[in-house]
Amino acid sequence: LLLLRLLPRPVSTAAGLVPGRLGMVAAIGAAAVLSAILVSAFLLLVLPATAGLLLTGLLVALLGLAKAFGLAVVFVAVGRRLTRGAQRGSPLFGDPAALAVGLALLGLLSLVPVAGPFVWAIASLLGIGAALVAASRRDVLRLAF
């Protein structure tokens, strides 16, 4: 909710990019995570220990920020899909309600014993991919700053 409060337009615009592109967004997220693992391994092998750890930590922090922003985007996109028939003025109208509904649904699905971790992993990959797709678009970056 804090991201939605501080950056409402970028989150809303990025949430509009996700539907219809789930495969591409998930593939971009998976490629980003795998690339981060490879770059981290390279940095730790090539650089001195302190510099390698510092740059790897920075890379992990950037991936964490992308995941936080992206999960908010995924929650809003899922919630919009579930609350698209809500009337203006009802408690289920708008992006804060969509974020809450999306978080509730994906949170409940993540509690399923065997499938839950896979659901959350896919949501995380979708989130990272959505953040990277949103960051690559000029209109989303212009709205953020």
Side-chain angles (χ1 to χ4, degrees):
L1 286 173
L2 184 64
L3 280 172
L4 195 57
R5 176 73 174 156
L6 296 176
L7 302 167
R9 288 184 186 156
V11 171
S12 179
T13 304
L17 299 173
V18 174
R21 300 180 181 163
L22 291 178
M24 181 192 72
V25 171
I28 290 172
V33 170
L34 292 174
S35 297
I37 291 170
L38 290 174
V39 168
S40 296
F42 176 75
L43 291 173
L44 291 172
L45 286 174
V46 172
L47 296 177
T50 307
L53 285 173
L54 182 67
L55 290 174
T56 298
L58 180 64
L59 186 61
V60 168
L62 287 173
L63 214 54
L65 288 173
K67 180 180 175 182
F69 177 82
L71 280 177
V73 168
V74 170
F75 295 154
V76 169
V78 169
R80 280 182 183 172
R81 180 99 174 160
L82 295 173
T83 62
R84 65 179 157 213
Q87 299 285 331
R88 187 182 248 330
S90 76
L92 293 177
F93 182 79
D95 282 346
L99 185 127
V101 169
L103 173 61
L105 176 69
L106 289 174
L108 285 174
L109 289 176
S110 73
L111 296 175
V112 175
V114 174
F118 293 112
V119 168
W120 199 254
I122 291 170
S124 296
L125 291 178
L126 281 170
I128 292 169
L132 293 175
V133 168
S136 70
R137 295 183 51 107
R138 271 195 243 176
D139 54 345
V140 174
L141 290 175
R142 188 181 60 227
L143 292 173
F145 299 107

